[in-house]
Amino acid sequence: MKLKILAFGITKDIFGTPEKEIEVDEGLNVRQLKNILEEDFPGLKKLNSYFIAIDEEYAEEDQVITSTNEIAIIPPVSGG
């Protein structure tokens, strides 16, 4: 299945684009997606943390992803 992944902040720099499309197997969960992304984009491993959002909600590691989901990579944020 094809997934469109939106990148924000530093993850946009790591991807080299604000949006990336990847081909993955059906039944993929968030943890597996993170592993694939970290393999393809090793810069993600250098971040202290980052989150995956599905349909504008933070996703759990075992949440299954479908091709209709909106996926976003949320980098660490700091505030003052």
Side-chain angles (χ1 to χ4, degrees):
M1 74 178 162
K2 285 189 182 193
L3 293 179
K4 183 168 73 172
I5 300 172
L6 306 175
F8 296 94
I10 193 164
T11 61
K12 187 167 40 174
D13 295 334
I14 292 170
F15 283 6
T17 182
E19 195 174 286
K20 198 76 171 165
E21 194 169 280
I22 64 170
E23 186 77 31
V24 297
D25 293 333
E26 296 281 335
L28 186 81
N29 68 30
V30 170
R31 185 179 314 103
Q32 293 166 321
L33 175 61
K34 280 183 160 184
N35 290 338
I36 290 168
L37 292 174
E38 288 173 5
E39 225 174 84
D40 292 347
F41 303 97
L44 287 174
K45 292 180 189 176
K46 296 177 183 174
L47 298 178
N48 288 335
S49 67
Y50 65 93
F51 298 98
I52 304 280
I54 297 178
D55 298 332
E56 300 181 9
E57 302 252 342
Y58 287 115
E60 297 293 325
E61 293 278 308
D62 60 349
Q63 185 171 343
V64 175
I65 300 167
T66 68
S67 61
T68 60
N69 290 135
E70 179 183 80
I71 312 294
I73 309 297
I74 311 296
V77 294
S78 61

